[in-house]
Amino acid sequence: MRVVSGIQPTGDLHLGNLLGAILRWVRMQDEAQCLFFLADLHALTVEVDPSRLGASVREMAAALIASGIDPNKSIVFRQSAVAAHPELAWILQGTARMGWLNRMTQWKDKAGKNKEGSSVGLFTYPVLQAADILLYKATHVPVGEDQKQHVELTRDIALKFNTDFDVDLFVPPEPYIGGGTAARVMSLRDGNMKMSKTDPSDMSRINLTDSDELIGQKIRKAKTDPEPLPDDESALDGRPEAKNLVGIYAEVTGDSVEQVLQRFAGQGFGAFKPALADALIALLAPLRSRLEEFRKDPAELDRLLRSGSERATEIAAPTLAAAYDAVGLTR
Ligand code: TRP
């Protein structure tokens, strides 16, 4: 089993990134060889601020490590530091079909009505993602629901390449969606909207840098409904805010939703919210102080990332060479 996943260096991390992706990665480290990278080449598919990109990459890398991604167990690196990613992506552009990419919902969502004005990179984004995965012969790719289609496309690209060039090179990966109840963390102000760094209300999200006091305040003010908590998970359907808060509590404490409901069934949010705030603070306070340490010592972070990209380059090299070979470009 080999796990590969990437995250875009968006900066300003919040609880949604942490629970939706990072903590699931942390748990996978003991079960498989893992490679985790900052998808900074993918960041170029939309407008970037060159003066901010480097800082965002560092912040995200620090957050990963502060959250428990251990550079001694996992390979952590910047995508742009391993040239094999864009190299293989180019080769795979000969395999991926326009029709396949046209069906990608992320492309349709992000380009919207402005297809003509979108970057070519936004369209071929999933081909670079396929290269990210296939380079390392990943068997499992932990991603959110919204990325499942890209992993399925990666399978199609792998199979077509293997067939077209009569090789047994690429391993079709499996998306790995499970592993968390709060895989989708919703806004604290509207249980139907994803928690997002672009929401104009800061009260809608918990940032990794929020103080204990602010976390407490945001949870106290989080939108809820007047009903007590039910004893049965299905009764949370139709109560998006309650479902979200219970999901967050479960994820943070490592309990199942059923277990959480057993503990709080019949109680109102007056009792539940302080417990939730405490659990969040217990999770985030140590993480915040580790982040502070990295901020004081950026050279250490750069050293860790450099060593990660060296190891990734080594693992990627034979796959890349075999891909060149397969298409007749033996070097
Ligand atoms: N597209 C992913 C996202 O937006 C990030 C990503 C890039 C990724 N390359 C990847 C995820 C490879 C898994 C594997 O979340």
Side-chain angles (χ1 to χ4, degrees):
M1 188 169 164
R2 184 180 276 161
V3 168
V4 170
S5 199
I7 192 164
Q8 286 215 41
T10 47
D12 304 322
L13 273 182
H14 55 72
L15 189 67
N17 312 116
L18 184 70
L19 300 187
I22 303 172
L23 288 188
R24 298 173 59 216
W25 293 4
V26 170
R27 288 196 291 270
M28 298 190 88
Q29 295 183 104
D30 295 316
E31 280 149 44
Q33 183 188 27
C34 296
L35 294 102
F36 299 122
F37 62 92
L38 294 310
D40 53 358
L41 293 173
H42 276 112
L44 304 180
T45 60
V46 292
E47 216 178 309
V48 283
D49 177 352
S51 68
R52 288 277 315 141
L53 185 57
S56 302
V57 169
R58 278 211 192 81
E59 257 168 58
M60 184 67 90
L64 294 185
I65 298 171
S67 305
I69 301 287
D70 179 349
N72 292 316
K73 286 188 196 158
S74 300
I75 300 180
V76 186
F77 62 103
R78 306 172 67 137
Q79 184 188 34
S80 64
V82 182
H85 289 240
E87 280 189 71
L88 181 61
W90 183 256
I91 294 176
L92 298 179
Q93 304 228 20
T95 300
R97 304 287 97 181
M98 292 286 288
W100 298 356
L101 296 181
N102 253 323
R103 283 194 287 278
M104 294 295 114
T105 53
Q106 180 173 296
W107 157 248
K108 288 192 259 187
D109 289 349
K110 286 203 179 170
K113 290 200 168 44
N114 189 24
K115 283 201 169 63
E116 294 291 314
S118 297
S119 73
V120 175
L122 190 64
F123 185 66
T124 62
Y125 178 117
V127 183
L128 177 57
Q129 184 162 352
D132 298 337
I133 296 166
L134 297 177
L135 255 185
Y136 303 103
K137 303 186 194 253
T139 54
H140 294 79
V141 184
V143 283
E145 198 61 55
D146 63 327
Q147 293 296 311
K148 199 172 154 194
Q149 200 185 24
H150 288 168
V151 180
E152 277 153 9
L153 178 88
T154 302
R155 293 178 63 85
D156 292 340
I157 293 176
L159 293 171
K160 181 166 166 55
F161 186 98
N162 287 350
T163 308
D164 286 356
F165 298 104
D166 196 20
V167 286
D168 191 15
L169 175 58
F170 293 128
V171 176
E174 299 283 345
Y176 179 82
I177 308 282
T181 37
R184 253 174 96 88
V185 178
M186 310 308 278
S187 158
L188 299 178
R189 309 297 299 167
D190 177 350
N192 292 308
M193 274 177 40
K194 224 172 148 169
M195 185 176 286
S196 159
K197 70 159 193 150
T198 53
D199 192 313
S201 167
D202 191 56
M203 295 301 282
S204 71
R205 65 185 155 260
I206 307 265
N207 305 300
L208 296 199
T209 47
D210 286 349
S211 67
D212 294 352
E213 294 69 38
L214 192 52
I215 295 170
Q217 192 191 351
K218 286 179 174 178
I219 294 301
R220 263 196 313 283
K221 298 215 166 139
K223 186 176 169 197
T224 48
D225 56 44
E227 304 297 319
L229 285 167
D231 56 8
D232 178 61
E233 190 170 350
S234 62
L236 288 172
D237 289 341
R239 298 177 65 186
E241 284 82 16
K243 188 179 172 127
N244 184 41
L245 295 184
V246 169
I248 292 173
Y249 185 89
E251 190 73 10
V252 166
T253 55
D255 294 338
S256 69
V257 168
E258 289 298 341
Q259 285 168 323
V260 177
L261 289 180
Q262 262 164 34
R263 196 164 332 137
F264 289 98
Q267 302 186 52
F269 287 96
F272 179 70
K273 279 181 165 182
L276 175 59
D278 286 347
L280 281 169
I281 290 167
L283 173 74
L284 295 177
L287 201 153
R288 205 166 54 230
S289 68
R290 285 195 292 271
L291 266 180
E292 277 305 313
E293 280 164 35
F294 274 122
R295 213 158 272 153
K296 281 184 221 135
D297 190 4
E300 167 65 4
L301 190 62
D302 287 345
R303 194 190 62 71
L304 290 172
L305 288 176
R306 210 169 321 114
S307 129
S309 57
E310 280 161 14
R311 290 161 71 200
T313 301
E314 248 169 61
I315 301 178
T319 318
L320 182 66
Y324 272 109
D325 213 25
V327 299
L329 294 176
T330 304
R331 296 182 294 175

